[in-house]
Amino acid sequence: MPGGAGVRRPDHQTTTRPTAEPAAAGGPEDGAPEEGTLGPPEPGGPAVLGPLGPLGEGPPAEGGLPEEAPQEPLLPEGVLPERVLAEEPAPREAAPQRPASPQPAPRRAAPPCPADDVSAEAVLAPYLRGQAADFLRSLRLHREHSAPSDANGQGAEAAARALRRSARRISGSLHTFRSVLDPAWADHLRTELAWLSGTLAREHAYAGRLTRLLEALHQLSGAPLPAARGTKPAAKAPTTPDAQSRAVLGVGAARAGALLERQLTLVRTRAHSAALQALGSSRFHAVADAVALLASEVPLAPGTASRGAEAVLEPAERAEQRLIGAVAALPPDASAEPYNEAQDAAWHQARLLLRLHRYAHEVVLGAADPVLTGAGHALDLHRDAAEAASAAASAARTPRIAPATAYALGVLHADQRHEVEAARAVFRETWPYAAAMTAP
């Protein structure tokens, strides 16, 4: 797999890895579902693209605003055990008349793959059962903290994030390892988990987007802007030399912030109501019952129980190759256009495939791949900035707004689009497959 970990067996040909790992560019992943792009794969073959993704996507929100949640770390990701460095043998003591020859640098030992005598069920089933148990535990905590006595609601919010986290991992694993599982069961449960995760994520999405936009407006204008409801005001930004431009921008910044708060708070309230209705629906109870059964039994495809770990390694390798191909197909820097939103789709697709690859890595090796942390965080920032820019552009199209307000929203849109380009640059620096950045 990318990042030097991989899921290939020692006798399989592997892609050349870089000798040095990039530093992680942020905290752990998770906090929101992905853009809906992946559909169920064709029977017996690799996954294909379709209208609904496995990680909790929902239909577009009102007013053209994307419905994803911002990528804020929620629960810490597992990390691979500390890699064992293969120590070189100590050099023999050199004779007085001979200088000691230099020793080669220690090399990183490859993590072990599942043994030949390990079945596919022994690799995949414990992971799915563990995620199902986490789902049920988070559901119980959510019900406990949703009582009226929990005034601040922080416990319910944390439980909802943990619920989405488990739902995404189950859904992503059902997509990647569909050939190992009962296909009809896997497709149905994956679709239902995608609906649940997307529904629960929207309120968090709009809240995070509003906070990001108000803080950006404050930094651009230097004027005290209203903070998002339920959040602390942003810290005062330092002044800039161009005081005149800031004064002009400050005229419309406060009104622009108020307009964004009205619009995003409205859709956030609707998303909150939709989440409450979903959690009380018969559809949700059916999903919870299906996950409860998964915690005790994993339906496998006929003949899979006796197959070796190769049945799990092959789908994981296909997920890796789809990710590498998607990154190679990204528009090069020479053709990048900061205000060309049409180029965002390819980057969102790469982010989704990166998550699927990471989940497959967790299944096969039992932990996340830390080498891809920086690249994943950069794609999270890219998604957040792209959605914030879209929200600013949508607000600027509001009828009968003052010219100063429209000007402030235009400056805000430009700022977020440049944040998009900055995130792309960080991704290219942290992506461990430098040779895959240019399509053949």
Side-chain angles (χ1 to χ4, degrees):
M1 289 187 152
V7 297
R8 295 180 176 83
R9 301 176 58 79
D11 56 348
H12 285 201
Q13 183 177 1
T14 58
T15 308
T16 303
R17 267 65 171 175
T19 56
E21 296 180 3
E29 64 92 33
D30 293 331
E34 308 301 326
E35 299 83 349
T37 51
L38 290 181
E42 295 180 0
V48 297
L49 301 183
L52 181 63
L55 305 182
E57 303 77 17
E62 297 85 344
L65 294 178
E67 53 81 22
E68 268 195 274
Q71 186 69 18
E72 297 181 357
L74 306 175
L75 295 180
E77 290 286 296
V79 294
L80 282 173
E82 184 179 8
R83 312 266 184 137
V84 180
L85 298 181
E87 299 181 357
E88 298 289 344
R92 298 174 181 270
E93 184 177 356
Q97 67 275 16
R98 289 187 180 183
S101 59
Q103 298 298 316
R107 293 180 298 175
R108 187 185 301 275
C113 289
D116 294 335
D117 57 350
V118 175
S119 65
E121 181 181 12
V123 176
L124 180 58
Y127 180 83
L128 290 177
R129 286 196 293 265
Q131 294 301 326
D134 290 343
F135 180 96
L136 298 175
R137 188 180 304 110
S138 302
L139 177 58
R140 184 183 68 253
L141 292 175
H142 186 274
R143 289 172 176 172
E144 293 176 355
H145 290 289
S146 297
S149 57
D150 188 6
N152 55 20
Q154 295 181 357
E157 182 179 355
R161 291 197 299 264
L163 195 67
R164 297 198 312 269
R165 179 181 184 273
S166 299
R168 284 195 307 273
R169 277 165 168 73
I170 297 173
S171 181
S173 301
L174 296 180
H175 173 85
T176 300
F177 301 100
R178 181 179 182 271
S179 60
V180 186
L181 302 165
D182 182 340
W185 168 83
D187 292 343
H188 175 73
L189 182 55
R190 185 181 67 85
T191 301
E192 295 302 291
L193 289 172
W195 160 77
L196 176 62
S197 181
T199 302
L200 297 180
R202 290 183 188 131
E203 179 183 2
H204 181 73
Y206 295 128
R209 199 169 307 156
L210 176 60
T211 300
R212 179 186 182 92
L213 288 170
L214 292 180
E215 290 178 350
L217 267 177
H218 176 76
Q219 293 173 1
L220 290 170
S221 66
L225 300 176
R229 295 178 183 177
T231 62
K232 297 181 179 180
K236 184 177 180 181
T239 59
T240 63
D242 195 355
Q244 183 178 1
S245 298
R246 173 158 293 185
V248 174
L249 179 61
V251 173
R255 291 184 178 180
L259 175 61
L260 288 169
E261 182 161 11
R262 287 196 304 271
Q263 292 184 347
L264 291 175
T265 300
L266 175 61
V267 293
R268 177 187 178 184
T269 301
R270 293 175 178 172
H272 178 73
S273 300
L276 292 179
Q277 293 177 2
L279 291 174
S281 65
S282 59
R283 183 178 182 181
F284 170 74
H285 290 292
V287 174
D289 291 342
V291 175
L293 293 176
L294 175 63
S296 59
E297 180 182 1
V298 178
L300 300 175
T304 302
S306 60
R307 296 177 61 185
E310 194 72 20
V312 176
L313 293 176
E314 292 175 357
E317 289 179 357
R318 287 198 298 267
E320 178 187 33
Q321 293 304 317
R322 287 196 300 270
L323 169 62
I324 295 175
V327 173
L330 291 174
D333 290 334
S335 64
E337 301 177 7
Y339 300 99
N340 186 357
E341 285 82 0
Q343 294 183 349
D344 294 345
W347 290 85
H348 295 331
Q349 176 73 0
R351 178 175 176 272
L352 174 59
L353 293 174
L354 176 60
R355 274 201 166 184
L356 290 178
H357 163 66
R358 292 176 57 254
Y359 296 161
H361 193 283
E362 292 178 2
V363 171
V364 175
L365 296 180
D369 187 355
V371 177
L372 290 175
T373 300
H377 183 66
L379 291 180
D380 296 339
L381 295 177
H382 176 276
R383 188 275 315 270
D384 292 345
E387 291 183 346
S390 178
S394 178
R397 291 190 291 269
T398 303
R400 298 183 299 277
I401 60 174
T405 305
Y407 172 74
L409 290 171
V411 173
L412 180 61
H413 174 267
D415 173 74
Q416 294 302 304
R417 289 308 305 180
H418 284 287
E419 290 291 330
V420 168
E421 293 304 305
R424 293 178 182 178
V426 172
F427 173 79
R428 295 181 187 279
E429 294 173 359
T430 55
W431 175 245
Y433 287 111
M437 294 301 299
T438 304

